[in-house]
Amino acid sequence: MNNNINHAARNDAKRTFYVRKLALVAAVSAAAVAGQAHAGGFQLNEQSVSGQGYGHAGRSSNVEDATIVYGNPAGMSFLDRAQVTAGGTYLKVNNDISNARASQTSPAFLQATGGITDTLPVAGSNDGDMVGNKAIPFAFYVHPVNDRLAFGFGVYAPFGSKTDYESGFQGRNQGNYTEVKVMTAQPTVSYRFNDQWSVGAGVTYNRVDGELRRQVPVVTPLGRSEVDSRVEGDDEAWGYNLGVIYQPVPETTLGLTYRSKVDYSLDGDFTASSPALDQLGIGTVTDDATLDLTTPETVNFSVTQQMTEKLKLMFGASWARWSQFDKILVEGGARGEITNEVQNYSNSWAFAVGGEYQLTPQWALRAGLSLDQTPSNDEHRSVRIPSDDRRIFSLGAGWTPIDDLTVDVAYSYLTERSTSIDQEKEDGFTVAGQKTPPVTSRYSADYKNEAHGFGAQLTYRF
C-alpha cells in the first residue's frame, strides 16, 4: 500500500494537495465533534436531594426547602423563614460495551491492495465505563420579605456530559473524549396573591464549556494514518424561568414551571496533530470554529396531595422541546460552512410518581419512580452520548434534629434500556478542484448503561 501512495509523495503538487486536505479534515472533524457532543448533552436532574428521594415527582408543587428556587420559583413565597440549602449528588456510572465492530473504507485501499479490498478493519479495545464517577453540586438561598413577597438565588448545573474512552478505543474515529459543562446562576422573585395563588420568575445566567476529541482517519503519502483532532469552546448566555402554584384546597397543591431555551454561540479553537503530520513537515494544524447551540425549553407540571396527616403523594410530568435541534451547523474561520449534519431529535417526556411519609416529627421517609424518555434516535445515536430510555428508582430520608436544621439523604438506581450504536462517517472532500481519497469509518456496538446516585444536602433556616 505504501509503495503505491509514496509515488504521490514525489509529486510536489500532490504533496501540497495532501497538506491542505489534512488541515481541512482536522477542522471539519473537530468542529463537527463539538456539535455532536453539545447537542447530545443530556439534561441533569441533580438540583435537589430532598426531591431526589421521591424521584422529583413533586418538583413544581412540593415545597420542602430552598431548592424550590429551581423546582418552581412561585414556591418561595410559601416558605416562612429565610433558609439556605446546599448539597450535591455523587454519580457512579457503569457502561458495558459488547459486539463491537469497526472498519475503514476508501478507494485508496482498493488501489493499494491490488483490487483485493477497499475495506480494512480497525483494531482497538472496548473497555466501557467511559463516563466514570462525578459529583454534581448545587446551592440555593430564599429570603421571605413578608408573607407575600420572597427573593431567592441559586447556583446549579442544568446540563452536562462526559465520556472519556480509553486511548485505544475501537470507535475512536467517531469520538473518544467529550466533556461539556453548563453552570447556571439564577436570581428569582416570588409573589403570593392569596392562600391559593402564587407566581414566580427568575433570570438565568448560563456558562457552557466544552472539550472534544476524535481520531480522524486519513490517507497520507506515508500511508494510512489518524489525526488527533481536539476542540475547546465556551460561551455565556441568558435565559429565564416562570412558575405558578395553585392550591384549590389546603391539601392539594398544583405547580407549573416553564424554563426557556438558551441560545449559545460557542467560539472555539481546535488543534490537529499526528506523527504523520510531523513527518510530512506540516506540524500541528490550528484554526477556529463557531457552533450555534440551543438547549431546549422545558415545562414541568406536578401535583402534591396530602393524603393523611403523615402521608403525601406526588405525581409529575416534564416535557423538553428537543425537536428544535434538527441539525448541526458549524462554520469555520475563513471557510464559511464546514458541516451541516441532520440530527432529528424528538421532543421527550419524563414521568414520576413518589411519596413522603412523616414517620416522626424528626424523620421523613421518601420513595419514587421515574421514567425518562430519550430525545435521540437509533439512526443518529452517537458514541458520545450512547443513552436510551431510563428507569430510575429512588429512596430518601430527611432528618430534622432541631427546627433550624434538616439533613436530607437519597439514593437512586438508574437503568437504561439496552441500546445499539451504528455510526458511519465519511472524511474527505474536494480541495482546489481535486478530490481527496475519502475514508469512511464505521463503528457498531451494543451498550448497556446503569448508574447509582448518592445524594446529601443540608438546609439551615434563619
Side-chain angles (χ1 to χ4, degrees), residues 127-141:
D127 293 346
D129 290 342
M130 64 284 180
V131 175
N133 305 327
K134 65 185 72 176
I136 305 173
F138 58 82
F140 299 94
Y141 174 73

PDB file of all heavy atoms in Angstrom, residues 127-141:
ATOM      1  N   ASP A 127     -13.410  -1.143  26.488  1.00  0.00           N
ATOM      2  CA  ASP A 127     -13.434  -1.368  27.930  1.00  0.00           C
ATOM      3  C   ASP A 127     -14.745  -0.945  28.577  1.00  0.00           C
ATOM      4  O   ASP A 127     -15.144  -1.489  29.606  1.00  0.00           O
ATOM      5  CB  ASP A 127     -12.279  -0.619  28.599  1.00  0.00           C
ATOM      6  CG  ASP A 127     -10.921  -1.185  28.211  1.00  0.00           C
ATOM      7  OD1 ASP A 127     -10.890  -2.311  27.656  1.00  0.00           O
ATOM      8  OD2 ASP A 127      -9.906  -0.507  28.449  1.00  0.00           O
ATOM      9  N   GLY A 128     -15.418   0.074  28.005  1.00  0.00           N
ATOM     10  CA  GLY A 128     -16.611   0.612  28.655  1.00  0.00           C
ATOM     11  C   GLY A 128     -16.253   1.484  29.847  1.00  0.00           C
ATOM     12  O   GLY A 128     -15.116   1.932  29.996  1.00  0.00           O
ATOM     13  N   ASP A 129     -17.264   1.740  30.719  1.00  0.00           N
ATOM     14  CA  ASP A 129     -17.068   2.585  31.912  1.00  0.00           C
ATOM     15  C   ASP A 129     -16.379   3.891  31.547  1.00  0.00           C
ATOM     16  O   ASP A 129     -15.485   4.374  32.257  1.00  0.00           O
ATOM     17  CB  ASP A 129     -16.263   1.830  32.961  1.00  0.00           C
ATOM     18  CG  ASP A 129     -17.070   0.695  33.582  1.00  0.00           C
ATOM     19  OD1 ASP A 129     -18.311   0.717  33.460  1.00  0.00           O
ATOM     20  OD2 ASP A 129     -16.458  -0.219  34.159  1.00  0.00           O
ATOM     21  N   MET A 130     -16.796   4.507  30.445  1.00  0.00           N
ATOM     22  CA  MET A 130     -16.151   5.722  29.961  1.00  0.00           C
ATOM     23  C   MET A 130     -16.725   6.987  30.605  1.00  0.00           C
ATOM     24  O   MET A 130     -16.146   8.061  30.484  1.00  0.00           O
ATOM     25  CB  MET A 130     -16.260   5.823  28.443  1.00  0.00           C
ATOM     26  CG  MET A 130     -17.662   5.960  27.899  1.00  0.00           C
ATOM     27  SD  MET A 130     -18.567   4.401  27.927  1.00  0.00           S
ATOM     28  CE  MET A 130     -20.150   4.906  27.233  1.00  0.00           C
ATOM     29  N   VAL A 131     -17.859   6.865  31.297  1.00  0.00           N
ATOM     30  CA  VAL A 131     -18.431   8.044  31.945  1.00  0.00           C
ATOM     31  C   VAL A 131     -17.756   8.309  33.286  1.00  0.00           C
ATOM     32  O   VAL A 131     -17.507   9.455  33.661  1.00  0.00           O
ATOM     33  CB  VAL A 131     -19.952   7.881  32.122  1.00  0.00           C
ATOM     34  CG1 VAL A 131     -20.542   9.046  32.912  1.00  0.00           C
ATOM     35  CG2 VAL A 131     -20.621   7.772  30.753  1.00  0.00           C
ATOM     36  N   GLY A 132     -17.440   7.241  34.018  1.00  0.00           N
ATOM     37  CA  GLY A 132     -16.743   7.411  35.288  1.00  0.00           C
ATOM     38  C   GLY A 132     -17.652   7.932  36.376  1.00  0.00           C
ATOM     39  O   GLY A 132     -18.883   7.874  36.296  1.00  0.00           O
ATOM     40  N   ASN A 133     -17.056   8.471  37.413  1.00  0.00           N
ATOM     41  CA  ASN A 133     -17.784   8.975  38.575  1.00  0.00           C
ATOM     42  C   ASN A 133     -17.668  10.489  38.637  1.00  0.00           C
ATOM     43  O   ASN A 133     -16.639  11.061  38.268  1.00  0.00           O
ATOM     44  CB  ASN A 133     -17.233   8.356  39.857  1.00  0.00           C
ATOM     45  CG  ASN A 133     -17.236   6.836  39.797  1.00  0.00           C
ATOM     46  OD1 ASN A 133     -18.105   6.233  39.174  1.00  0.00           O
ATOM     47  ND2 ASN A 133     -16.254   6.214  40.435  1.00  0.00           N
ATOM     48  N   LYS A 134     -18.712  11.134  39.119  1.00  0.00           N
ATOM     49  CA  LYS A 134     -18.693  12.590  39.178  1.00  0.00           C
ATOM     50  C   LYS A 134     -19.608  13.084  40.285  1.00  0.00           C
ATOM     51  O   LYS A 134     -20.572  12.404  40.675  1.00  0.00           O
ATOM     52  CB  LYS A 134     -19.129  13.183  37.838  1.00  0.00           C
ATOM     53  CG  LYS A 134     -20.576  12.875  37.475  1.00  0.00           C
ATOM     54  CD  LYS A 134     -20.936  13.376  36.089  1.00  0.00           C
ATOM     55  CE  LYS A 134     -20.287  12.530  35.033  1.00  0.00           C
ATOM     56  NZ  LYS A 134     -20.695  12.935  33.665  1.00  0.00           N
ATOM     57  N   ALA A 135     -19.313  14.277  40.793  1.00  0.00           N
ATOM     58  CA  ALA A 135     -20.146  14.933  41.801  1.00  0.00           C
ATOM     59  C   ALA A 135     -20.786  16.165  41.171  1.00  0.00           C
ATOM     60  O   ALA A 135     -20.128  16.927  40.454  1.00  0.00           O
ATOM     61  CB  ALA A 135     -19.316  15.332  43.012  1.00  0.00           C
ATOM     62  N   ILE A 136     -22.083  16.362  41.436  1.00  0.00           N
ATOM     63  CA  ILE A 136     -22.829  17.492  40.881  1.00  0.00           C
ATOM     64  C   ILE A 136     -23.354  18.328  42.044  1.00  0.00           C
ATOM     65  O   ILE A 136     -24.298  17.934  42.733  1.00  0.00           O
ATOM     66  CB  ILE A 136     -23.982  17.006  39.999  1.00  0.00           C
ATOM     67  CG1 ILE A 136     -23.449  16.073  38.905  1.00  0.00           C
ATOM     68  CG2 ILE A 136     -24.720  18.188  39.377  1.00  0.00           C
ATOM     69  CD1 ILE A 136     -24.540  15.418  38.088  1.00  0.00           C
ATOM     70  N   PRO A 137     -22.770  19.497  42.297  1.00  0.00           N
ATOM     71  CA  PRO A 137     -23.168  20.309  43.454  1.00  0.00           C
ATOM     72  C   PRO A 137     -24.261  21.323  43.113  1.00  0.00           C
ATOM     73  O   PRO A 137     -24.541  21.605  41.944  1.00  0.00           O
ATOM     74  CB  PRO A 137     -21.865  21.024  43.811  1.00  0.00           C
ATOM     75  CG  PRO A 137     -21.197  21.223  42.475  1.00  0.00           C
ATOM     76  CD  PRO A 137     -21.578  20.035  41.626  1.00  0.00           C
ATOM     77  N   PHE A 138     -24.858  21.894  44.154  1.00  0.00           N
ATOM     78  CA  PHE A 138     -25.848  22.963  43.996  1.00  0.00           C
ATOM     79  C   PHE A 138     -25.933  23.738  45.298  1.00  0.00           C
ATOM     80  O   PHE A 138     -25.539  23.255  46.369  1.00  0.00           O
ATOM     81  CB  PHE A 138     -27.222  22.397  43.628  1.00  0.00           C
ATOM     82  CG  PHE A 138     -27.774  21.419  44.634  1.00  0.00           C
ATOM     83  CD1 PHE A 138     -28.413  21.847  45.790  1.00  0.00           C
ATOM     84  CD2 PHE A 138     -27.638  20.053  44.431  1.00  0.00           C
ATOM     85  CE1 PHE A 138     -28.903  20.941  46.723  1.00  0.00           C
ATOM     86  CE2 PHE A 138     -28.129  19.140  45.354  1.00  0.00           C
ATOM     87  CZ  PHE A 138     -28.768  19.587  46.496  1.00  0.00           C
ATOM     88  N   ALA A 139     -26.485  24.962  45.226  1.00  0.00           N
ATOM     89  CA  ALA A 139     -26.720  25.788  46.416  1.00  0.00           C
ATOM     90  C   ALA A 139     -27.840  26.774  46.120  1.00  0.00           C
ATOM     91  O   ALA A 139     -27.893  27.353  45.017  1.00  0.00           O
ATOM     92  CB  ALA A 139     -25.450  26.531  46.822  1.00  0.00           C
ATOM     93  N   PHE A 140     -28.746  26.978  47.109  1.00  0.00           N
ATOM     94  CA  PHE A 140     -29.885  27.872  46.950  1.00  0.00           C
ATOM     95  C   PHE A 140     -30.113  28.672  48.236  1.00  0.00           C
ATOM     96  O   PHE A 140     -29.843  28.185  49.338  1.00  0.00           O
ATOM     97  CB  PHE A 140     -31.154  27.082  46.616  1.00  0.00           C
ATOM     98  CG  PHE A 140     -31.083  26.303  45.331  1.00  0.00           C
ATOM     99  CD1 PHE A 140     -30.706  24.965  45.347  1.00  0.00           C
ATOM    100  CD2 PHE A 140     -31.386  26.894  44.123  1.00  0.00           C
ATOM    101  CE1 PHE A 140     -30.637  24.235  44.171  1.00  0.00           C
ATOM    102  CE2 PHE A 140     -31.324  26.181  42.940  1.00  0.00           C
ATOM    103  CZ  PHE A 140     -30.949  24.847  42.957  1.00  0.00           C
ATOM    104  N   TYR A 141     -30.653  29.868  48.042  1.00  0.00           N
ATOM    105  CA  TYR A 141     -30.991  30.716  49.189  1.00  0.00           C
ATOM    106  C   TYR A 141     -32.341  31.373  48.928  1.00  0.00           C
ATOM    107  O   TYR A 141     -32.602  31.866  47.817  1.00  0.00           O
ATOM    108  CB  TYR A 141     -29.930  31.780  49.416  1.00  0.00           C
ATOM    109  CG  TYR A 141     -30.293  32.786  50.498  1.00  0.00           C
ATOM    110  CD1 TYR A 141     -30.271  32.433  51.844  1.00  0.00           C
ATOM    111  CD2 TYR A 141     -30.691  34.078  50.163  1.00  0.00           C
ATOM    112  CE1 TYR A 141     -30.615  33.337  52.831  1.00  0.00           C
ATOM    113  CE2 TYR A 141     -31.038  35.001  51.143  1.00  0.00           C
ATOM    114  CZ  TYR A 141     -31.000  34.632  52.477  1.00  0.00           C
ATOM    115  OH  TYR A 141     -31.352  35.532  53.455  1.00  0.00           O
TER     116      TYR A 141
END
